[in-house]
Structure formats: C-alpha cells, structure tokens
Amino acid sequence: MKSLKFFLFLLLLAGMDVAAQTTGLFTYNGGYFVKAGDYWTEYRPAEKDGVWATYTQYNEETNYYQVKNSSCSLSIPKTSNNNFYIWEDGEWKVIYTTKHIYGYFNDESREIYAYNQGGYFVRDGNTWREYRPDKKAGLWATYTQYKEDDNYFYMRSTASEVCVPKDEHNDFYLLNGGKWMKCYTTSAIYVTKTPAAGGNSTTSIDEESGYDYVFRYKSYSRVEYKEEESEYPLINFFLGGVTYREETEQIDLSAKVCISRNGKMMIELGGDCFYLTFAKIDKGLTDSYIEIYPYADNYDCKLAIYKTGNCQLSLDKAELGIGLWNLHGGDYESTYNEIFRLVDSYTFLK
C-alpha cells in the first residue's frame, strides 16, 4: 500500500512538472514572450501595443526552447542566467539580455509589473492579480486598487495592503504596522505608453490595455443599402427588387477594433466609441477572415476582420447603434494570425 501511494505521489509530481512547462513569462530588456504550449507570443510594449510577433516551438533542449516564424528562428532561455539568441549567418547570436523567467503565465491582461523575487502583478482596471510561480502554479492573490499618485498604485486584499510602482526605478512596498516597508525590488514594467505609429485615436492606452487584441485602420466608409430593379423578373417578383450595399461616404479618420478573449469588444470610429460583448467568434468560409457575432443566433449581425487589412461592420441592430461600415488600411497580420490560431483551437470564450 505504501509503495502504491509513493508511486501515485511520483505521478502527481510528474504531472505538475509537465503542467508547469506549458506556460511561462520570459522577460528581456524592452519586451517579453508568453508561452502557451508550443505557441509563443512576443510583445514590445514601448514600440507597439498588442502583439509584436508570434512563433511556433519546434525543439526543446535542456536550457532552451527553439521557436520560429516565417522571418526568423530564436532560442529562448529556460533560466534567467542565459540570454535570448537569434539564428543568423549559420550561428546563434545574442539578441536580448534576459531580465527574468517566470514558470507560469495564464492571465488575459498584458499590463505587467514584475519583481526580482520570483513573481509579478498584472493590472486589469482596478483589479490586480499577483502570481508567484516559484511557490504556486496559479493565482497567488487578488487586490483592489483604491488610489494612485504620481509614483505608485495603492491596493489591498483581504490579507494585506501593497503599493506597486509606476516606474522601474521604484520598488514594491507592503504596509506593515502602519508603515510602508519594501517587500520586492522591481525587475521590469511592461505597459504601452504611446499609441502605435499612425494612430489618431482618442482612446486612452490604459483603456486599450483591457483588451487582448487591437486592430487599427487608417479610414472608414459609411455603407447603405440600395434598391435596384432586377433584369430577372422572377427574382424581382420574389424579392421586390435586389438589395445591395454601396459605400456612400469616405471618412479620413482612423478607426479601431479592440477585442478580448473573454468576449468584450470596443469599436472606435473617429472619436465615437461603442462597447459591446460578443457571443460567438468563428473562421470565415475561405479561412481568410474572422467573424464575430454579438448575437449567436443572428448571422446577419456581425463584424468580419479580413487578413488583407480591411474590416466590415454589419452591426445595424437598433440596440447596437453602430450601423454599416467598411474599415480600410489595417496592418495587423501577426495579431490576426494569433486570433486565427486561438479560434482554431477553441480557446476563445472558454
């Protein structure tokens, strides 16, 4: 009986080890990678909001993971004492200096405040979550922010009260006996501070950080339904004329679509923002676009994001108040590819 219990204990440890390797946060000076199985996503918040690039893992060694996309192959370290490498001219060359490696990351937010003692905070509006992967694979604590000043965010949980720095030159503090005492030293802070190049949005970056993916467009056009008599009498008899769509107004202002994996969506047209939830997301028939439906049972009311860089809004139901629009000039292939993969693996809205 004892030998059976010991065997089961070993199986449990092996399972924990495998689970711990399926996710991770790998930080370097200026950016970070998120591991989700064999799929990797890179972010460089100071240079671009949203996804910088995506990769597929093709090999694993004792100290490194090897990943690649259509542009390059990278070697990502498993521990903080090794650096990141890129394959160039037949050899591995250092590309990034490692900040810290965290063995667990499964949060939707991409506003990250990391410390050197094996953990990090993520911000989701006024809700903050702390993770300490070296001690626990999963959520360590949840806090509610109650104020902020020029240098810190202040928050509390049922057990403690902490302040998180806004700048990497400051550290983390814990309220102990009525006095603030340093508890962690800061490793890195990853928050988008400026809009992406070419943006003309009135939406704040803090607001965008509540969404996983941002699609930007240079302009948009109003679309209206038109009636046209058909040259085929039978069609005209049944339909009373042929209905088609026509762009009637070109607007040279930027537009934006922000979506989250939990079903939240924001659409910005010029300076007007519309906040929605969606019930279904799916691939198009030709695998060249993604369809998002606010109503799971209404296929006429949808948003279609095309890989070519355009978007069609068919959201003319009265309660949505948006109408029919075409969005033009998007540049987001890496973001699109990540969403396409997530839809394909059914990880949206789960």
Side-chain angles (χ1 to χ4, degrees):
M1 186 66 177
K2 289 184 178 180
S3 60
L4 176 60
K5 289 182 177 179
F6 181 70
F7 176 71
L8 293 174
F9 177 70
L10 290 179
L11 284 178
L12 176 63
L13 288 180
M16 291 174 63
D17 184 61
V18 171
Q21 295 175 7
T22 60
T23 69
L25 175 64
F26 302 74
T27 68
Y28 61 84
N29 289 322
Y32 60 93
F33 290 81
V34 171
K35 173 177 170 61
D38 289 335
Y39 186 78
W40 293 71
T41 311
E42 183 180 7
Y43 298 84
R44 297 186 191 177
E47 300 180 53
K48 177 186 177 183
D49 56 333
V51 177
W52 177 267
T54 60
Y55 306 85
T56 300
Q57 182 177 317
Y58 67 91
N59 189 36
E60 179 178 350
E61 299 177 352
T62 303
N63 297 315
Y64 288 92
Y65 299 103
Q66 273 82 45
V67 302
K68 64 181 179 180
N69 60 19
S70 59
S71 301
C72 64
S73 294
L74 302 178
S75 190
I76 298 176
K78 293 184 176 181
T79 58
S80 302
N81 60 326
N82 292 317
N83 288 319
F84 294 76
Y85 289 81
I86 186 171
W87 183 258
E88 282 186 347
D89 302 324
E91 62 178 334
W92 291 106
K93 299 179 181 179
V94 175
I95 184 174
Y96 304 134
T97 300
T98 305
K99 296 282 284 187
H100 209 94
I101 306 297
Y102 304 93
Y104 176 87
F105 189 90
N106 195 30
D107 199 281
E108 292 186 357
S109 174
R110 293 299 183 266
E111 191 168 343
I112 302 169
Y113 298 74
Y115 53 82
N116 290 311
Q117 286 71 32
Y120 55 89
F121 288 76
V122 296
R123 184 188 184 195
D124 185 4
N126 287 328
T127 299
W128 291 71
R129 292 178 287 272
E130 182 181 8
Y131 298 87
R132 301 178 67 178
D134 58 336
K135 297 183 179 296
K136 179 183 178 181
L139 183 65
W140 179 264
T142 302
Y143 303 83
T144 300
Q145 180 182 319
Y146 63 88
K147 74 171 185 177
E148 65 178 285
D149 57 29
D150 292 340
N151 297 311
Y152 291 95
F153 299 103
Y154 298 82
M155 64 201 70
R156 59 171 65 99
S157 69
T158 56
S160 61
E161 192 166 329
V162 299
C163 63
V164 175
K166 293 183 174 182
D167 187 276
E168 293 183 6
H169 296 96
N170 295 320
D171 291 315
F172 295 74
Y173 286 82
L174 173 71
L175 190 63
N176 189 355
K179 296 182 179 180
W180 288 107
M181 302 181 64
K182 184 185 294 187
C183 57
Y184 306 129
T185 57
T186 303
S187 171
I189 295 175
Y190 302 103
V191 180
T192 303
K193 293 182 170 59
T194 57
N200 187 31
S201 173
T202 58
T203 309
S204 70
I205 296 303
D206 282 346
E207 186 174 13
E208 284 183 13
S209 67
Y211 298 88
D212 296 299
Y213 309 103
V214 178
F215 298 86
R216 297 183 182 277
Y217 302 89
K218 296 178 180 178
S219 63
Y220 56 98
S221 303
R222 184 188 302 275
V223 180
E224 292 184 0
Y225 283 116
K226 299 290 184 180
E227 295 287 341
E228 182 178 79
E229 291 296 318
S230 171
E231 60 180 304
Y232 302 103
L234 183 61
I235 296 178
N236 192 57
F237 174 79
F238 282 108
L239 301 180
V242 177
T243 299
Y244 68 98
R245 295 181 182 184
E246 180 180 271
E247 293 189 2
T248 61
E249 181 183 1
Q250 174 74 30
I251 301 175
D252 292 324
L253 294 175
S254 64
K256 184 190 310 178
V257 175
C258 303
I259 67 174
S260 179
R261 282 175 288 181
N262 63 7
K264 295 189 300 181
M265 178 166 61
M266 178 184 70
I267 298 171
E268 182 180 320
L269 301 174
D272 296 324
C273 293
F274 303 88
Y275 300 89
L276 311 173
T277 58
F278 59 91
K280 180 181 178 181
I281 184 167
D282 206 351
K283 298 188 298 181
L285 295 177
T286 61
D287 285 355
S288 62
Y289 61 97
I290 298 165
E291 296 177 319
I292 301 173
Y293 301 90
Y295 303 95
D297 58 349
N298 187 337
Y299 292 94
D300 292 326
C301 185
K302 65 183 179 182
L303 180 152
I305 299 176
Y306 288 83
K307 193 171 185 178
T308 55
N310 295 321
C311 177
Q312 290 183 340
L313 305 182
S314 300
L315 304 174
D316 55 343
K317 289 182 70 68
E319 56 265 48
L320 296 180
I322 297 176
L324 305 174
W325 302 87
N326 286 335
L327 281 53
H328 310 283
D331 182 13
Y332 46 70
E333 183 174 354
S334 61
T335 303
Y336 175 94
N337 287 338
E338 181 181 5
I339 294 182
F340 202 87
R341 183 199 66 83
L342 290 172
V343 173
D344 200 36
S345 60
Y346 303 99
T347 54
F348 253 94
L349 303 175
K350 295 292 185 181

